[in-house]
Amino acid sequence: MAQMPDGRPTVRIDGTDPLVLPWDVAPERLPFDVVRGPVAFECASGDRIEREYTGIDVFELLDAAAMPGDTTHVQFESATGDLACIPLADLNGAVLALGEGPGTAPGRPRFVSPRVLGPRTVKSVCRLRPRALAAGADREAYERLPLDS
């Protein structure tokens, strides 16, 4: 897991101009627009959950890191090694919940999106990696979901 010089854990957003953000900071302290509100998603059980989240729009982070133009998916990695590979189209409305906002444990960022099923809503995110998958590629080859363990 990456850390700031002062030892605080971070989230790295890869791109042409990568970003490294502290995990444990309130979103309001970052140079991005803060997103607040409900995000609903379906759990692996089939139950639909809606919770309030506070964080940063995922596309805003990817744009700030200069996401490559050929990107088709984004791989979200957790501090525990989980990986989810999400198509760009499923990132509309997606949030990286940070800090101590509702729905997020202190210092533990979470990826949530209304278009993504529960096992792929990665907890304790430490890295976002833009990926260019070939047409017909199996995104599951780029994943290691909690249910796979």
Side-chain angles (χ1 to χ4, degrees):
M1 170 176 36
Q3 294 184 340
M4 301 290 285
D6 62 4
R8 293 165 51 200
T10 61
V11 177
R12 178 184 168 92
I13 299 94
D14 290 344
T16 305
D17 189 15
L19 294 176
V20 177
L21 303 174
W23 253 12
D24 57 353
V25 67
E28 296 83 0
R29 299 192 58 184
L30 297 173
F32 300 100
D33 292 333
V34 176
V35 176
R36 287 185 179 83
V39 176
F41 57 90
E42 187 175 324
C43 284
S45 67
D47 294 336
R48 188 132 179 97
I49 292 180
E50 183 171 320
R51 292 198 178 127
E52 293 284 325
Y53 288 96
T54 302
I56 309 298
D57 180 278
V58 169
F59 276 123
E60 188 173 355
L61 293 170
L62 293 168
D63 287 345
M67 175 177 63
D70 62 348
T71 300
T72 61
H73 292 70
V74 175
Q75 191 178 45
F76 292 82
E77 180 179 350
S78 78
T80 59
D82 297 332
L83 296 169
C85 192
I86 310 298
L88 288 182
D90 290 345
L91 294 179
N92 290 322
V95 173
L96 184 65
L98 292 168
E100 297 188 27
T104 308
R108 300 286 187 228
R110 182 173 188 175
F111 159 68
V112 292
S113 172
R115 298 173 179 237
V116 174
L117 295 178
R120 289 187 169 96
T121 61
V122 176
K123 298 176 183 177
S124 298
V125 174
C126 66
R127 192 167 192 175
L128 283 69
R129 285 188 193 96
R131 297 284 190 200
L133 273 59
D138 181 8
R139 75 172 177 170
E140 291 183 4
Y142 296 83
E143 295 184 316
R144 188 172 42 249
L145 300 175
L147 297 177
D148 294 342
S149 315

